[in-house]
Structure formats: C-alpha cells, structure tokens
C-alpha cells in the first residue's frame, strides 16, 4: 500500500489510497467519540462512572494488507480527567476534530515517527478551547438530541454540517463562539441564495429553513448561558410563496387508475389510501400493523410529536386491509412496503416517502402532468368530490363544511373554506343578472 501512495498525487493525498482494483478508497475512517452508557429507567444514558472511559476512535488501513483494520485506534488524551458529562462531551468533540486534522495532515498510526511528530506538536486541551464555533454548535445539537425524533435530528445535523463546512472555509470554525457575528450569519445566508458557482442557489424557503434550524441550535446555547444573545433571532429571511398542489381532472384520475392497475399495483393501493383516508404521505408510511384496529375500524396515526390521532376506516379501506390478511404478519410490520405486503422496511421515514414519490414521478412523466399535481392532489380530489356531493344531497354550504371538517381534520371552518376555495371546490354562482349597468 505504501508503494501505491507514491504513485499518485492529488489534493487529498493523505486521505485516499489507490487500491489493487485501481480505485481510490478512504485511507481511514472519520473519527468518532465513544461515549460509554448505562441503562437508567430502561433508557441508555451517558456515564462518567469509574472504569467507563471515553475516547476518540478511528480505523486505518493496514500498510501490509491494504485492508481497513478490524480494531480501532483509540485516543484518550485527557478526556477522562474532566468530571462532568457536559465537559467530556465538549472535550471529546474537540479532540475528535483534532484527530481528524491529524489524519488529514498525514498522521499514520502504524508509523511511530509520524505518531510522535503529530502528538508532540498538539497542545493539550484547555478551557479556552471549549467553545469554538464548531464545538459550540456540536454541543448545542447534542443537547437537543433527546427532544428530537431521529428524522428531525438528522435534518438539524445536515444544516449544521453545511454551515460548519462554510465556517471552516472562512476560518470561522475555530473562532470563539461569542465572537461569531450576526454579519457572519448573514454572509452565509447570502451565500446560500447566490447561484453557483458563487453560492448554492437555494430558494427563499430553503434559506429560511436553514436559518430556523441553526437558530434553534443557537437558542440552546443561549439557554445554557454559553452565548449572551441568539444572533439568528433578529435576522429576517424572505419566505418563498410555495406553489399549491391542484386536483386532477376526472379524466386524469381515470387515466391514472387504469395505468396503476396495470403497471403500478403497489402505488395504486397507496394512492387509494390517500384518497379515502385524507392522510398525508408521511402519516401513511408511519403506519404499522399495531396502529390498526379492524374490530373498531380505527387507524391510529402517529404524529411528529409521537402522539396519536385516530381516523375512521371507511369501507373501501376496510376491504383493502381485510384482503391483506394482516393477522399473518408481525405487529411491528409497516403497512406499506415495496413488496406490496406488510413487513419490515429498514429505511428512514424520509426514504419511505421518497420511494412512493419517485414511483409516482414515473406516472407524471408518462402523462406529462404539471409540477403542481402530486400524490397530495388526491386529497384535493377527494375533498372536492365529497363537498360537491354533500351540496347536491341538499346540505347548505355551512352544513357541508361542518361535515367535511371531521373528515379532512382541518382545525377551523375558516381554514377549510380557504382550502376549498384554493382547490376550486367553492366558487360563487353566476351573478350576471345582478348588474344594473351595461358595459
């Protein structure tokens, strides 16, 4: 492997090697902080008990075999000399970044001379190092972790990583967090708005979401008295006006149905569930069999806050679920999977939603539908159809709205009226005869 190193020269020469298959492969793994944990009240909690040592670890390719080693290299330094979990997290994360820097600089744990050179030039951690911009943000997110669902935590982490990468490029990541300025944040948000190659070309809504997530991490630092002000709170961002989804025409619905029955039966069941239940994609992919009560014809919908709301299982839904013979499957099975039958699905909620969205994209491309017609549009079609049916049956508009509210789960009459108006379900009657003037 050492000979391979000498055969090429690239910008990241200390990060990759050229293997026997003539591919560039990582020379080492990204360093991580090992946090020992114990079970407290059925939950894993970080501990500083005697014998429970914290350390930074990474894997490195064996110079003789070229393969990534099975045993990690561990860096303890003085992490365990700190007496609180909070301090050890901060120090450990600081060393994690330091070790990553060592590796980028050519640190080779198999080479004693390299090891001595790197270790001797690295100063010992001091209190002044504790709250750099990087360490502070990692600390803030770590302390928000317990209050976030996995999907939300990953989203926060992605926003943070992009911000810290920009900070590193601008030499701000090692700055004391109290010296980070409002102007620095504005510069970053402006960078996100600019078109490539000067920026990332994000839309206003995405920039606003970035500011909101980073501001929430900074709010945690303010709460912990690490900073005296949340510099994100006074920065205003322009929110983009999102395009609203529109319902399909009756002819389009018929075409989609015919196409799906023949080519996309799994997607067809998913779309029918949207139409008959008024559930959102995210809600449907969360459903596991233990959420379904066939006897009471109820489905419990897990919300983002992990609370449950309930919807009635109307006859088309009941018949579909009955045909699946749910009793044959484990209770933790997801209702919708790529196989078309309940079962495990080892991917994130976002990934499950994306799966059905991508499947529907092939239908949109096939028929050439507008961008504002999505899987969500089937909820609109159902709302329009029901509202018009209620009116035709003799109900007043207010009575129809009241009946529909319980089905669509809108919070207020006004919200439902606005929704129906946006999707074209509520339109005024012809007022031609009311004019007195002829123009």
């Amino acid at each position: 492997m050492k000979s391979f190193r000498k055969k090429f020269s690239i910008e990241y020469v200390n990060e990759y090697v050229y293997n026997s298959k003539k591919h560039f492969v990582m020379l080492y793994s990204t360093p991580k902080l090992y946090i020992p944990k114990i079970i407290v009240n059925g939950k894993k909690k970080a501990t500083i008990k005697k014998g429970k040592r914290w350390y930074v670890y990474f894997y490195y390719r064996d110079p003789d075999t070229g393969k990534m080693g099975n045993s990690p290299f561990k860096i303890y330094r003085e992490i365990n000399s700190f007496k609180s979990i909070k301090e050890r997290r901060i120090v450990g994360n600081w060393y994690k970044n330091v070790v990553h820097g060592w590796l980028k600089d050519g640190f080779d744990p198999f080479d004693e001379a390299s090891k001595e050179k790197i270790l001797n030039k690295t100063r010992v951690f001091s209190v002044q190092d504790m709250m750099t911009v990087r360490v502070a943000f990692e600390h803030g997110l770590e302390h928000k972790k317990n209050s976030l669902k996995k999907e939300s935590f990953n989203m926060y982490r992605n926003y943070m990583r992009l911000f810290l990468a920009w900070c590193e490029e601008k030499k701000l990541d090692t700055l004391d967090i109290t010296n980070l300025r409002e102007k620095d944040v504005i510069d970053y948000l402006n960078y996100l708005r600019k078109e490539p190659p000067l920026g990332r070309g994000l839309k206003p809504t995405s920039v606003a979401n970035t500011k909101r997530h980073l501001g929430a991490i900074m709010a945690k630092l303010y709460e912990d008295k690490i900073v005296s002000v949340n510099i994100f709170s006074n920065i205003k961002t322009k929110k983009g006006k999102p395009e609203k989804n529109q319902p399909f025409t009756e002819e389009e619905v018929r075409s989609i149905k015919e196409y799906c029955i023949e080519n996309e039966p799994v997607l067809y069941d998913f779309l029918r569930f949207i139409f008959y239940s008024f559930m959102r994609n995210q809600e449907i992919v969360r459903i596991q069999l233990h959420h379904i009560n066939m006897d009471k014809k109820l489905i419990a919908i897990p919300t983002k806050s992990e609370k449950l709301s309930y919807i009635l299982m109307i006859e088309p839904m009941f018949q579909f679920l009955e045909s699946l013979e749910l009793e044959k499957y484990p209770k933790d099975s997801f209702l919708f999977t790529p196989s078309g039958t309940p079962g495990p699905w080892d991917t994130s909620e976002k990934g499950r939603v994306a799966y059905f969205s991508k499947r529907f994209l092939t239908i949109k491309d096939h028929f050439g539908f507008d961008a504002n017609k999505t899987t969500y549009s089937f909820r609109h079609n159902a709302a329009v159809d029901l509202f018009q049916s209620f009116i035709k049956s003799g109900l007043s508009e207010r009575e129809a709205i009241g009946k529909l509210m319980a089905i669509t789960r809108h919070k207020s009459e006004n919200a439902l009226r606005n929704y129906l108006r946006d999707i074209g379900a509520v339109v005024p009657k012809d007022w031609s005869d009311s004019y007195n003037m002829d123009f």
Side-chain angles (χ1 to χ4, degrees):
M1 187 178 75
K2 289 181 180 178
S3 61
F4 286 139
R5 279 190 184 175
K6 296 175 182 177
K7 288 181 180 178
F8 71 97
S9 177
I10 57 174
E11 181 182 357
Y12 304 105
V13 67
N14 294 322
E15 296 185 48
Y16 294 86
V17 290
Y18 198 49
N19 69 8
S20 57
K21 294 181 181 178
K22 299 184 179 180
H23 294 146
F24 286 113
V25 293
M26 284 298 294
L27 183 57
Y28 53 81
S29 68
T30 301
K32 295 182 179 180
L33 174 63
Y34 172 74
I35 301 176
K37 295 183 178 178
I38 57 175
I39 304 295
V40 179
N41 296 328
K43 293 184 179 180
K44 290 183 178 181
K45 299 283 186 180
T47 182
I48 54 173
K49 280 189 174 182
K50 189 175 181 181
K52 302 288 186 180
R53 302 187 71 194
W54 297 48
Y55 55 84
V56 171
Y57 68 96
F58 63 93
Y59 294 87
Y60 201 93
R61 292 191 182 275
D62 189 292
D64 297 322
T65 66
K67 295 181 179 180
M68 197 71 84
N70 292 324
S71 299
F73 289 91
K74 301 175 183 179
I75 307 292
Y76 293 91
R77 299 294 276 182
E78 75 273 24
I79 298 173
N80 294 287
S81 65
F82 288 82
K83 303 303 181 185
S84 72
I85 289 175
K86 177 181 176 180
E87 288 176 328
R88 287 195 191 181
R89 282 188 194 277
I90 294 170
V91 178
N93 283 321
W94 186 83
Y95 267 116
K96 181 179 68 175
N97 295 321
V98 168
V99 172
H100 203 177
W102 293 352
L103 292 164
K104 287 181 178 179
D105 288 343
F107 172 47
D108 183 345
F110 288 98
D111 185 337
E112 288 299 323
S114 163
K115 191 186 298 186
E116 286 296 319
K117 182 179 177 182
I118 290 285
L119 294 179
N120 287 339
K121 78 174 185 179
T122 302
R123 58 191 171 80
V124 174
F125 184 90
S126 67
V127 175
Q128 285 71 33
D129 297 311
M130 274 192 171
M131 282 303 166
T132 61
V133 170
R134 179 177 294 280
V135 170
F137 269 86
E138 289 178 346
H139 163 85
L141 181 57
E142 186 66 31
H143 279 249
K144 281 185 67 68
K145 188 174 183 178
N146 290 336
S147 63
L148 298 171
K149 291 185 71 174
K150 184 179 178 181
E151 291 289 328
S152 298
F153 174 77
N154 289 338
M155 192 176 295
Y156 272 91
R157 184 171 57 184
N158 289 338
Y159 282 117
M160 183 188 74
R161 283 176 173 173
L162 289 171
F163 175 61
L164 292 180
W166 180 84
C167 285
E168 183 175 354
E169 184 182 326
K170 301 297 180 183
K171 312 296 183 190
L172 297 173
D173 61 317
T174 56
L175 194 71
D176 188 292
I177 185 61
T178 58
N179 292 329
L180 186 68
R181 302 170 301 166
E182 189 174 297
K183 183 182 181 305
D184 297 323
V185 174
I186 292 172
D187 287 345
Y188 176 64
L189 298 178
N190 286 337
Y191 157 76
L192 296 178
R193 292 186 187 97
K194 292 176 183 175
E195 293 298 322
L198 299 177
R200 293 179 61 86
L202 298 187
K203 293 182 178 179
T205 300
S206 297
V207 176
N209 285 338
T210 298
K211 180 230 165 184
R212 179 168 58 84
H213 283 82
L214 294 177
I217 298 175
M218 181 67 89
K220 180 59 182 167
L221 300 179
Y222 175 76
E223 183 184 316
D224 290 349
K225 308 300 182 185
I226 292 169
V227 295
S228 59
V229 64
N230 182 350
I231 58 176
F232 287 83
S233 59
N234 293 324
I235 299 173
K236 298 194 181 300
T237 52
K238 180 182 177 182
K239 284 192 176 182
K241 193 173 182 180
E243 290 187 6
K244 294 184 178 180
N245 296 318
Q246 292 300 313
F248 294 100
T249 65
E250 287 187 33
E251 184 180 343
E252 287 170 341
V253 171
R254 281 196 297 270
S255 298
I256 293 169
K257 178 180 178 179
E258 291 170 4
Y259 182 89
C260 282
I261 289 173
E262 185 175 347
N263 301 289
E264 290 280 0
V266 176
L267 180 62
Y268 177 55
D269 290 333
F270 187 82
L271 297 178
R272 289 182 79 232
F273 223 80
I274 295 173
F275 183 81
Y276 286 117
S277 71
F278 283 87
M279 293 171 70
R280 298 171 178 81
N281 293 18
Q282 293 91 332
E283 293 172 330
I284 295 176
V285 300
R286 290 181 196 137
I287 297 175
Q288 293 173 283
L289 300 194
H290 63 83
H291 295 127
I292 300 171
N293 188 324
M294 295 295 286
D295 294 331
K296 294 183 178 180
K297 291 190 175 182
L298 289 176
I299 299 178
I301 306 175
T303 63
K304 278 187 177 181
S305 61
E306 297 187 347
K307 294 180 180 178
L308 295 175
S309 60
Y310 296 86
I311 65 164
L312 177 69
M313 189 191 303
I314 63 174
E315 193 59 28
M317 296 164 62
F318 179 80
Q319 290 177 7
F320 164 65
L321 294 174
E322 195 173 42
S323 71
L324 293 177
E325 299 180 303
L326 303 182
E327 65 277 3
K328 297 194 306 187
Y329 304 97
K331 287 294 185 181
D332 61 350
S333 299
F334 286 101
L335 177 60
F336 284 97
T337 67
S339 69
T341 57
W345 194 355
D346 188 21
T347 190
S348 66
E349 179 184 307
K350 189 175 181 181
R352 297 195 296 274
V353 170
Y355 172 82
F356 286 105
S357 296
K358 287 176 182 176
R359 295 293 287 264
F360 188 72
L361 190 58
T362 62
I363 293 177
K364 285 184 67 172
D365 292 341
H366 176 78
F367 290 107
F369 292 140
D370 294 337
N372 60 2
K373 291 186 175 180
T374 68
T375 57
Y376 201 78
S377 298
F378 288 98
R379 296 177 82 242
H380 305 338
N381 278 102
V384 171
D385 191 50
L386 287 176
F387 180 74
Q388 291 177 347
S389 176
F390 293 155
I391 295 294
K392 285 180 182 177
S393 71
L395 295 182
S396 67
E397 183 178 299
R398 182 160 191 176
E399 288 171 332
I401 292 280
K403 192 169 182 179
L404 197 56
M405 266 187 70
I407 299 170
T408 62
R409 293 178 285 145
H410 278 83
K411 302 292 185 186
S412 67
E413 268 191 39
N414 192 47
L416 180 54
R417 284 181 185 277
N418 290 336
Y419 168 69
L420 292 172
R421 192 176 298 113
D422 287 341
I423 62 176
V426 176
V427 292
K429 295 178 181 178
D430 190 332
W431 58 91
S432 305
D433 294 339
S434 299
Y435 284 108
N436 294 316
M437 295 178 63
D438 183 21
F439 183 68

